[in-house]
Amino acid sequence: MAKQITIVGAGLVGSMLACYMSRRGHTVKVYERRPDMRKAGYIGGRSINLALSHRGIKALSKIGLYEKVEHIAIPMYGRMIHDVQGNTQLTPYGKEGQAIYSISRGDLNRIMVEEADKFPNVDFYFNERCTHIDFDTNTAQFENNESKNIATQKSDIIFGSDGAYSQVRYQMQTTPNFNIHQHHEPYGYKELHISPGPNGEHLMEKNALHIWPRGSFMLIALPNTDGSFTLTLFNNLEGENSFAELTDEKSVTAFFQKFFPDALALMPDLAQTFFKNPTSSLVTIRCYPWKYKNTCLIGDAAHAIVPFYGQGMNCGFEDVNELDDLLNQHHEDWEKTLYQFQTQRKPNADAILDLALHNYIEMRDLSGRKDFQLRTQIERRIAEAFPEKFMTHYSMVTFSDLSYHEAKMRGEKQNELLEAIMRLDNIEQQWQGDTVLKMAAEWLEKN
């Protein structure tokens, strides 16, 4: 039986959810507090680029959307590590041909809204801020940002897909037994830019995610289709070499000259543009339950994570895909579906949150160290030797259908093997010999 569904939030997860629900024959109304990005354009300065990978591609492909966005996705086959001297080293992400894809958040969101809006049973309402949810009557209240008019929308099901600072979740905090943990990280980020070359070409390797690891902070760069790169500086908010010390053009130039000289050479206007975009904070959200009566949280509203595994969007898209599978499994029984959705997805959301936090340490610090690079080579060698029994931890998360929880547990277990191998005498000289594979075979036999 067709339902009346209200979706709060027309971002990536909300627009994908609208696409899925419309294809199931439901009547969908989507309310978004921001202006219509198709008319106003996407407002940059806050994480424009995303890394689309297997889980997200699978969810897009299921409803025929991947072929609509493939042309704006640039494959990145590995991490390009930049040291202070400007030397670079490429570390592949997976097997030959495997890649994650740099894609513009704004372009992707626009395409998905356009696709959802083609359905006669979908309506979008922009500049509408959610102000109240009546959980007993399934009624949501909205205030127009411009006219200040109040509108109410009654429906069968309400989804909160309105991001890390979700108004739906805020309303849900008043319900019985709702638990929430919100943590702002002591570091933040600033978006920067490298322009295309004189002929529109990329000035660095196009098919890689560039990382400048510097111990307690880092710079990353993702390619854009116009030949430019979007850069993000992740740094501590306070302390030595932090954002707090970058107060003027002179300090910014000196900081980049010391730590990122090769990047600085490609950004002649850095000192003038550094202060154009805000220094933004990073937050993690754990909460439960996600469902109360006929209202349910999804995406970042349920599980906001830091961006260091490139899985925030992919996890949100997987939410929608699994919700769709559960609706099929339970023959559109929404009570059973939403209950199982939260119990099934919660452990995975917690797992990828933990993995993303740890990956910041790996990216900013470990990825630039010789011992970690050797460990990564050994892990890849074992995976190639025993493809049916062993996957690299990164591949489990990024290129497989394993649940995030299972990937986390397997990764922690495999860590025991890798640590034992790294403790071998002269491992730097003998890692390509028989000893490593023999140890791996024995460990895999037991585990």
Side-chain angles (χ1 to χ4, degrees):
M1 181 178 174
K3 298 290 187 182
Q4 175 76 49
I5 296 176
T6 296
I7 299 173
V8 182
L12 294 171
V13 173
S15 56
M16 171 167 276
L17 184 60
C19 289
Y20 267 75
M21 293 301 103
S22 63
R23 282 165 170 78
R24 299 191 73 92
H26 301 302
T27 299
V28 182
K29 296 188 182 297
V30 189
Y31 290 82
E32 169 59 51
R33 64 177 176 81
R34 296 169 299 181
D36 187 343
M37 76 283 295
R38 294 169 295 178
K39 300 174 183 176
Y42 188 80
I43 300 171
R46 294 181 184 272
S47 185
I48 287 181
N49 280 74
L50 300 163
L52 178 66
S53 55
H54 171 74
R55 297 171 199 269
I57 292 171
K58 181 180 178 181
L60 288 166
S61 299
K62 187 176 179 181
I63 55 172
L65 273 183
Y66 183 58
E67 62 189 33
K68 302 286 180 68
V69 304
E70 192 174 8
H71 69 283
I72 61 169
I74 299 176
M76 299 181 293
Y77 297 104
R79 294 175 174 175
M80 185 69 79
I81 306 297
H82 296 245
D83 68 16
V84 176
Q85 288 73 40
N87 302 309
T88 58
Q89 178 178 331
L90 181 66
T91 302
Y93 277 129
K95 300 175 184 176
E96 186 175 354
Q98 284 185 322
I100 61 176
Y101 294 83
S102 176
I103 194 165
S104 162
R105 177 192 294 270
D107 288 345
L108 178 59
N109 204 166
R110 175 182 51 77
I111 290 171
M112 292 172 66
V113 169
E114 288 173 348
E115 289 300 312
D117 212 13
K118 290 177 181 178
F119 284 80
N121 55 339
V122 177
D123 292 304
F124 282 87
Y125 303 88
F126 293 93
N127 286 307
E128 297 286 345
R129 183 174 63 89
C130 181
T131 56
H132 182 68
I133 303 286
D134 187 325
F135 298 102
D136 294 320
T137 63
N138 300 331
T139 302
Q141 185 179 85
F142 301 91
E143 179 183 78
N144 187 275
N145 293 332
E146 297 170 347
S147 68
K148 303 303 178 184
N149 290 337
I150 303 296
T152 57
Q153 180 63 57
K154 184 175 173 59
S155 53
D156 298 305
I157 306 293
I158 299 172
F159 281 103
S161 63
D162 48 340
Y165 297 100
S166 167
Q167 280 295 313
V168 178
R169 188 184 66 239
Y170 181 74
Q171 297 289 320
M172 205 176 278
Q173 287 176 226
T174 64
T175 63
N177 303 314
F178 186 84
N179 293 294
I180 182 169
H181 176 77
Q182 173 180 298
H183 180 71
H184 280 90
E185 301 302 327
Y187 43 84
Y189 69 94
K190 183 182 287 287
E191 184 183 294
L192 303 168
H193 189 75
I194 289 179
S195 298
N199 298 312
E201 74 274 20
H202 291 87
L203 295 178
M204 299 186 295
E205 170 57 47
K206 172 184 177 181
N207 298 116
L209 190 154
H210 296 260
I211 306 178
W212 291 257
R214 297 298 181 261
S216 62
F217 55 93
M218 69 173 178
L219 183 69
I220 70 169
L222 279 75
N224 299 310
T225 54
D226 66 355
S228 67
F229 285 86
T230 297
L231 284 74
T232 309
L233 173 64
F234 294 98
N235 200 356
N236 294 314
L237 298 173
E238 303 289 341
E240 186 179 5
N241 294 319
S242 68
F243 278 120
E245 293 189 345
L246 304 179
T247 56
D248 54 29
E249 293 184 8
K250 182 178 178 181
S251 59
V252 169
T253 300
F255 177 77
F256 271 76
Q257 186 62 60
K258 181 177 181 180
F259 295 109
F260 313 115
D262 58 333
L264 178 62
L266 303 177
M267 296 187 285
D269 59 347
L270 170 68
Q272 293 76 42
T273 60
F274 185 85
F275 302 98
K276 178 182 176 183
N277 292 327
T279 299
S280 301
S281 61
L282 291 164
V283 65
T284 57
I285 301 286
R286 301 179 197 260
C287 69
Y288 199 78
W290 296 354
K291 169 193 177 299
Y292 183 69
K293 297 188 175 178
N294 291 314
T295 298
C296 187
L297 303 174
I298 193 167
D300 281 358
H303 48 72
I305 67 175
V306 291
F308 304 115
Y309 227 118
Q311 287 297 305
M313 170 185 63
N314 294 289
C315 180
F317 284 0
E318 191 174 62
D319 280 355
V320 179
N321 191 10
E322 290 199 11
L323 175 71
D324 186 65
D325 288 344
L326 289 170
L327 282 168
N328 290 333
Q329 180 182 325
H330 295 300
H331 308 290
E332 295 276 343
D333 184 322
W334 280 89
E335 180 62 28
K336 289 181 180 178
T337 293
L338 294 181
Y339 179 77
Q340 187 174 343
F341 171 72
Q342 65 173 0
T343 56
Q344 181 172 299
R345 289 300 289 167
K346 171 63 173 171
N348 294 317
D350 287 345
I352 192 57
L353 188 153
D354 292 336
L355 288 168
L357 287 169
H358 179 266
N359 215 46
Y360 182 45
I361 299 170
E362 178 176 317
M363 291 177 73
R364 79 183 187 195
D365 182 10
L366 302 180
S367 66
R369 288 167 41 177
K370 297 298 183 184
D371 58 338
F372 182 81
Q373 292 169 3
L374 175 61
R375 177 192 166 112
T376 300
Q377 288 179 300
I378 292 170
E379 186 185 22
R380 286 174 53 80
R381 185 174 181 227
I382 296 171
E384 290 168 1
F386 305 98
E388 301 301 319
K389 297 182 178 181
F390 189 98
M391 292 177 68
T392 68
H393 199 187
Y394 188 88
S395 290
M396 283 189 276
V397 173
T398 308
F399 300 122
S400 87
D401 290 316
L402 280 177
S403 72
Y404 289 124
H405 179 70
E406 179 69 15
K408 181 173 183 278
M409 297 296 288
R410 287 197 193 184
E412 290 171 351
K413 191 68 178 174
Q414 288 177 188
N415 192 46
E416 299 172 6
L417 168 64
L418 293 169
E419 287 185 352
I421 291 173
M422 290 300 292
R423 287 195 294 267
L424 292 173
D425 292 335
N426 300 317
I427 184 61
E428 296 85 358
Q429 284 74 44
Q430 64 165 319
W431 73 273
Q432 291 179 299
D434 296 335
T435 302
V436 166
L437 294 186
K438 183 180 178 182
M439 281 185 67
E442 291 173 354
W443 185 89
L444 288 167
E445 187 68 30
K446 294 177 182 177
N447 293 277

